[in-house]
């Protein structure tokens, strides 16, 4: 069962200028939360059955020093917080990838990971030989680190993946994507996972303005945090546990929405929510 902190899931379909930043990271330091998320996905491969997200690359992509820690820091299956957090993180990835598949069948050939971190979809891309291009967007420091981990793991960078480093303080996401070969006149599917709670409201709305210009038929999967006052006691305990950890990592939570608020934000830029999946539906 996924007791979740927070984030509910929104699958948004249909229909660009400048996000201020996706995750608060130091100019030269990769995101620590990106590593922790990747460790949860890897722990899922070791601890959970059946697998919600079957990811044979989850362990390979990790820095070697982190692998012995997979049964620590709340990853142990005997730790209810670890179970809940791990379940949420793999469920949201599975949700996004399933929706990407649906959009691919409808003709979408561009998949954009906003705040890609150590995501491994590029190696698991079931449509790599059918024209699905993956654009991985992240802060330059985090992306450089990931590509070094790829080299250390003796993995080959997939030919269908394009890495797009973006310093959101100084560069336009639109400009960087266009320079990388992204087509604004063709539909795209976006995975915006593990990012929104770290943004300011201004940065969130700037990103939505960027998405407003997407071609008809585009879609998105995103997660967002509920305000603490909207949580149950159990959910609040998980939320406080995670919030304290990410704050210590220098990447604190800043933004939360009720379901009605997120709906209004998206509708303001021409997007329609098709699904808003809560913890019970994810369990």
């Amino acid at each position: 069962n996924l007791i979740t902190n927070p984030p509910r899931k929104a699958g948004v379909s249909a229909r660009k200028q400048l996000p201020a930043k996706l995750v608060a990271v130091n100019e030269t330091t990769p995101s620590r939360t990106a590593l922790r998320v990747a460790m949860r996905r890897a722990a899922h491969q070791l601890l959970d059955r059946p697998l919600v997200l079957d990811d044979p690359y989850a362990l390979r992509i990790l820095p070697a020093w982190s692998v012995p820690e997979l049964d620590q820091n709340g990853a142990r299956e005997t730790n209810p917080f670890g179970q809940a957090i791990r379940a949420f993180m793999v469920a949201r990835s599975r949700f996004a990838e399933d929706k990407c598949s649906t959009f691919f069948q409808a003709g979408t050939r561009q998949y954009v990971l906003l705040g890609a971190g150590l995501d491994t979809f590029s190696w698991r891309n079931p449509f790599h030989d059918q024209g699905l291009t993956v654009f991985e967007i992240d802060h330059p420091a985090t992306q450089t680190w990931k590509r070094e981990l790829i080299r250390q793991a003796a993995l080959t960078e997939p030919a269908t993946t394009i890495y797009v480093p973006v310093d959101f303080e100084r560069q336009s996401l639109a400009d960087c994507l266009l320079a990388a070969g992204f087509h604004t006149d063709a539909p795209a599917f976006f995975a915006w996972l593990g990012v929104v709670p770290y943004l300011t409201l201004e940065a969130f709305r700037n990103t939505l303005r960027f998405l407003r210009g997407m071609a008809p038929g585009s879609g998105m999967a995103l997660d967002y945090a509920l305000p603490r006052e909207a949580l149950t006691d159990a959910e609040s305990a998980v939320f406080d546990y995670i919030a304290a950890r990410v704050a210590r990592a220098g990447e604190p939570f800043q933004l939360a929405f009720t379901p009605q608020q997120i709906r209004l934000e998206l509708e303001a830029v021409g997007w329609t929510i098709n699904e808003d999946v809560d913890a019970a539906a994810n369990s």
Side-chain angles (χ1 to χ4, degrees):
N1 259 346
L2 177 60
I3 13 182
T4 179
N5 121 19
R8 301 167 57 99
K9 201 144 293 303
V12 185
S13 70
R15 317 208 279 149
K16 219 170 168 249
Q17 170 132 22
L18 172 80
K21 63 168 105 169
L22 293 183
V23 178
V25 291
N26 179 281
E27 289 295 315
T28 59
T29 304
S31 168
R32 292 175 64 184
T33 57
L35 172 61
R36 291 301 171 188
V37 170
M39 289 175 68
R40 299 291 180 185
R41 289 194 296 256
H44 174 63
Q45 311 304 307
L46 300 175
L47 301 176
D48 302 322
R49 292 298 181 274
L51 290 173
V52 173
L53 183 72
D54 188 357
D55 184 353
Y57 298 96
L59 281 162
R60 292 185 64 183
I61 195 69
L62 291 178
W65 63 263
S66 71
V67 175
E69 295 185 23
L70 290 181
D71 63 352
Q72 301 173 17
N73 300 309
R76 287 187 184 276
E77 58 184 338
T78 54
N79 183 316
F81 285 158
Q83 283 182 297
I85 299 164
R86 190 167 69 245
F88 169 69
M89 290 180 176
V90 299
R92 72 183 182 188
S93 292
R94 173 66 182 272
F95 179 91
E97 291 178 14
D98 285 354
K99 295 301 175 185
C100 176
S101 178
T102 299
F103 274 76
F104 178 85
Q105 301 302 338
T108 299
R109 296 294 182 269
Q110 300 181 111
Y111 184 35
V112 183
L113 299 173
L114 293 169
L118 300 184
D119 190 275
T120 65
F121 176 83
S122 290
W123 291 276
R124 298 178 289 105
N125 179 0
F127 311 113
H128 67 91
D129 58 351
Q130 299 176 55
L132 181 64
T133 300
V134 180
F135 294 86
E136 290 203 10
I137 313 297
D138 218 325
H139 187 279
T142 299
Q143 195 162 92
T144 297
W145 170 61
K146 178 178 185 175
R147 297 181 80 172
E148 174 59 21
L149 290 176
I150 292 170
R151 187 193 66 77
Q152 292 175 11
L155 291 169
T156 300
E157 293 185 352
T160 53
T161 295
I162 298 174
Y163 297 97
V164 187
V166 181
D167 183 337
F168 296 99
E169 298 289 352
R170 299 178 175 85
Q171 296 172 287
S172 160
L173 173 57
D175 290 346
C176 292
L177 266 177
L178 287 170
F182 182 81
H183 297 282
T184 56
D185 57 349
F189 188 80
F190 294 82
W192 197 12
L193 306 179
V195 172
V196 171
Y198 299 96
L199 299 178
T200 62
L201 181 59
E202 178 184 7
F204 174 74
R205 287 176 171 169
N206 282 340
T207 305
L208 289 188
R209 284 193 285 272
F210 159 77
L211 293 169
R212 174 188 286 171
M214 292 300 100
S218 294
M220 173 170 60
L222 66 88
D223 60 0
Y224 62 95
L226 291 171
R228 196 178 185 283
E229 59 271 18
L231 304 176
T232 66
D233 289 345
E235 290 168 341
S236 294
V238 178
F239 180 88
D240 292 344
Y241 174 80
I242 300 174
R245 289 186 64 88
V246 298
R248 287 196 299 270
E251 300 169 36
F253 289 152
Q254 300 190 80
L255 191 60
F257 295 102
T258 65
Q260 178 62 16
Q261 288 170 336
I262 196 78
R263 182 177 297 276
L264 292 174
E265 292 286 343
L266 290 163
E267 289 178 349
V269 294
W271 286 69
T272 302
I273 291 183
N274 290 341
E275 274 184 276
D276 194 350
V277 184
D278 62 14
N282 263 325
S283 63

